[in-house]
Amino acid sequence: MCLSEVRRGQSVHISRIEDDAVRTQLIRFGICEGSLLKCLEKIPFGPFMIRHNRQEIAIGREIAEVIQVEGGPLS
C-alpha cells in the first residue's frame, strides 16, 4: 500500500520509494527504505503529518502516493 492509504495513528515501514526525486528529498530528512514512520494526521485535501524519530514532517499527497509502505514495526 502507499503512504496515502495509511490511517491516522498507524505506524509503517517504508518498503520502496518509486520516484528518484522524492527519494532524494526524503534522504535529506534521514528517511529511506526501512524507516519507521507514524501518521500523526491526515488533513483533508492537504498534507499528511508524519513522525520519523522525533521530527514531525508534512508530506504532500502527491509525494505520499509514490511511497510504498508495510504496516507495523519490525519484530
Side-chain angles (χ1 to χ4, degrees):
M1 81 175 135
C2 61
L3 184 60
S4 63
E5 299 170 4
V6 173
R7 295 183 315 272
R8 194 177 102 200
Q10 185 177 3
S11 293
V12 293
H13 279 93
I14 296 177
S15 59
R16 186 176 41 160
I17 302 170
E18 297 176 356
D19 186 292
D20 290 336
V22 171
R23 184 180 299 114
T24 301
Q25 289 176 346
L26 292 176
I27 286 173
R28 291 181 179 135
F29 290 105
I31 299 172
C32 58
E33 281 93 354
S35 294
L36 178 64
L37 306 177
K38 181 174 184 176
C39 180
L40 300 176
E41 190 66 50
K42 289 175 75 171
I43 299 170
F45 306 105
F48 289 79
M49 297 299 298
I50 61 165
R51 177 178 291 140
H52 174 254
N53 295 331
R54 287 178 283 177
Q55 64 182 342
E56 294 180 3
I57 302 168
I59 294 185
R61 289 186 179 268
E62 293 167 355
I63 293 174
E65 295 282 332
V66 300
I67 302 172
Q68 298 295 314
V69 296
E70 298 174 349
L74 294 175
S75 305

